[in-house]
Amino acid sequence: MNRIKNISAYVSNVTDLLWNYIKHTAAYPKNAVLAVQREIRETVIENPDDCRDCDFYDLKAFIRKTPDGRMQPNLVAIQTLAYRFYKPNS
């Protein structure tokens, strides 16, 4: 069963997940990836060896630097990922 019911909630959830990663990078495994368990659309940042039946994505693709050098979630990349799992307006 999908915990997150629509695309906007999914984008918000992944954005929050990435903000947490940015703020607490040292708390995550060095080889952490964005892992999506496709069937239930659950998304985590995890060591790929600890996630079964997941699609893996490089975290660098979902984080960008602002002009002043700060890191922040890349909303365009997150939305593109979300469209893989949700139809617009679903």
Side-chain angles (χ1 to χ4, degrees):
M1 179 174 193
N2 297 328
R3 181 175 63 84
I4 300 173
K5 299 295 182 192
N6 62 52
I7 194 168
S8 62
Y10 183 80
V11 169
S12 178
N13 178 266
V14 174
T15 301
D16 290 346
L17 185 67
L18 289 164
W19 271 122
N20 192 50
Y21 174 78
I22 290 166
K23 292 176 183 176
H24 307 286
T25 303
Y28 290 86
K30 293 202 184 285
N31 63 338
V33 295
L34 191 70
V36 181
Q37 196 168 24
R38 183 178 289 270
E39 289 182 19
I40 61 172
R41 300 178 190 147
E42 187 67 34
T43 304
V44 297
I45 296 175
E46 186 59 75
N47 175 337
D49 296 333
D50 294 338
C51 188
R52 297 189 196 286
D53 300 322
C54 291
D55 295 340
F56 301 113
Y57 302 92
D58 186 349
L59 284 167
K60 293 176 190 170
F62 298 95
I63 297 173
R64 68 179 200 88
K65 285 195 176 182
T66 63
D68 62 354
R70 291 184 288 161
M71 293 192 308
Q72 69 180 34
N74 181 336
L75 189 56
V76 172
I78 296 166
Q79 290 170 336
T80 300
L81 175 69
Y83 284 122
R84 293 179 186 170
F85 306 112
Y86 293 87
K87 293 178 184 171
N89 301 321
S90 64

